[in-house]
Amino acid sequence: MKNFGLIGKKLEHSYSPLVHKMLGDNISGSYNYELLEVEEDDLETLIKNDKYSGFNVTIPYKKLAMKYCDEISKEALEIGSINTIVKVDGKIKGYNTDYYGFNYLLKSNNINPEGLKCIVLGSGGSSLTVQAVLKDLKAREVVVISRSGANNYKNLNLHYDAQIIVNTTPVGMYPNSGVSLLDLSKFENCRGVVDLIYNPHMTRLLIDAKIKGIPHVGGLEMLVAQAKKSSELFKGFKINKNEIKRIVGNVKDETLNIILIGMPGSGKSHIGKMMAESLEREFFDTDKLIEKREGMSIPEIFEKRGEEYFRRVETEVLKEVCKEKKAVISTGGGIVTRDENYPIIRENSEIFWIKRDLKDLEVKDRPISLSTPLEELYEQRKELYKAWSDKIIDNPKGSNYSFGIIKDDCYIDNRWSVLVINGPNINMLGIREKGIYGDKSYNTLNKMIQEKANKLNIKLEIFQSNHEGDIVDKIQESYFKGYDGIVINPAGYTHTSVAILDAIKAVQIPTVEVHISDVNNREDFRKVSYVREACVESISNRGFKGYLDAIDFLYENYSD
Ligand SMILES: Nc1ncnc2c1ncn2[C@@H]1O[C@H](COP(=O)(O)OP(=O)(O)O)[C@@H](O)[C@H]1O
Ligand SMILES: O=C(O)C1=C[C@@H](OP(=O)(O)O)[C@@H](O)[C@H](O)C1
Ligand SMILES: [Mg+2]
């Protein structure tokens, strides 16, 4: 197996081995990928070491490494920085795939610098690439801010009119997270903040942007996009662009914590434990950690040391536990009472608000709930729970929620998604008119569709109903759930339903109409399809395979 690696000075933060493993494992041609921390004096020897067939290059060597290349791509030469090295026929060739990565990041997040004033923090190799992309996308002005340049952090007031801010420095990066170079409140015209850092997922700069309601994005998509391009150079063949989205989702699954917040007694500890078991993750409960640390129960801590002391310890414990990766963390209901807790829990997590009716909240052993009316407590906290969380999980009393049900609501799955809808009598497949529809069952059909989705690694939901209104409801729901495509066999409603036609038109999601039989060569009334005009494709007479072809069609034409 060939050896590749990431060259840099400090690499503790890097997700590159994870990303390259995913790129190597899932698309044929895996390779070894190592972190190669090196001092400047040893850079040349490392690059020339025959053990390695190529490298990625990061801070601070993106400019310097060019010196040891025999050839440099035109693009990299123009930018003045490389991030990829490949050895071909004994020659060391340098490339810049960061350009592609940064461009991808902006485009996929609808950040358009055209006509805008941009400031770029940092003046290293990545900064050069960022500047090139911003200029190519017609930014009005690109100002580089660096510690010792003409534009620096002391005269930043000259650029408080900046509209886009891009951080290319390592300030705020793991393990030294939680710091930012700027006071964002000074930038009143700012309408986009990009941080190339991807670990933590949300740097302090990005958290500040989120608090201010400014569109913002971190560097994970850029990391994966540039890695995909580099991997193509390493392996010598193209990789589907859809892999970027898939791997971004997988990296999030591998690195983000799930954090549960919400009113005391709402079920955070209970659900957290179930989630952790089901997702095979480690589980932490901040109250339990506090009790262990203090050697006292929560009521005892409140009684002996008071609430202020408890809150201080709680923040300390949060700081520790939020350094975990891929854990499930239940918090105490009061963490939202301290502003300083927000950036701590926000850094690397998906945050869920567990909700339950006030009358059903458990109050036992909860000193705050016993001393303050729950309505009052909820008034004080509800806006904070809402603002701090990404998603809500309803946990009504007596619902007997198993994690399986909750999981659908909260599991983080960013893959390209398709909804398959079947209309009336399709559930009777295998029983009904076998001469027309075949003898295979509805379950067999679903299995085939699921296998197809697994093969393409897409998210799938299958729905069947005999009721027109339910089908309309489902189509509408697909809009709010953000499905990328719909495959529909409206069955008998094909030839009658204006309501289903209107629903497809309303959601504007690419939809393929499927019929198992040859509808055009049966009764005349089957030749009319109301839904057809709203569909991007119509497939009939291909049996169950029609559904698989429909998924292929959508995936090939609409997944980029
Ligand atoms: N979904 C659920 N199913 C069964 N019992 C639950 C559920 N959610 C909460 N409970 C119970 O309600 C009580 C309070 O839940 P807990 O997880 O301790 O709340 P929190 O951590 O939010 O204070 C516990 O007795 C817990 O077992
Ligand atoms: O809401 C609160 O202020 C508190 C909630 C409790 O945790 P739970 O939310 O798990 O009950 C515990 O941290 C402490 O009693 C204070
Ligand atoms: Mg709890």
Side-chain angles (χ1 to χ4, degrees), residues 262-269 285-287 290 298-299 302 307 310-311 314 330-335 337 362 364-369 377 381 385:
M263 284 290 279
S266 59
K268 301 180 294 296
S269 302
D285 191 322
T286 57
D287 281 341
I290 294 167
I298 301 279
F302 270 77
E307 180 175 357
F310 172 82
R311 297 281 173 228
E314 188 174 47
S330 291
T331 61
I335 64 149
T337 60
E362 167 94 51
K364 189 171 147 273
D365 292 335
R366 289 168 173 83
I368 296 284
S369 307
L377 204 59
R381 295 180 178 179
Y385 290 138

Side-chain angles (χ1 to χ4, degrees), residues 503-520:
I504 299 172
K505 281 187 179 168
V507 297
Q508 293 180 25
I509 297 169
T511 300
V512 176
E513 173 195 15
V514 174
H515 302 285
I516 296 171
S517 71
D518 188 3
V519 278
N520 291 316

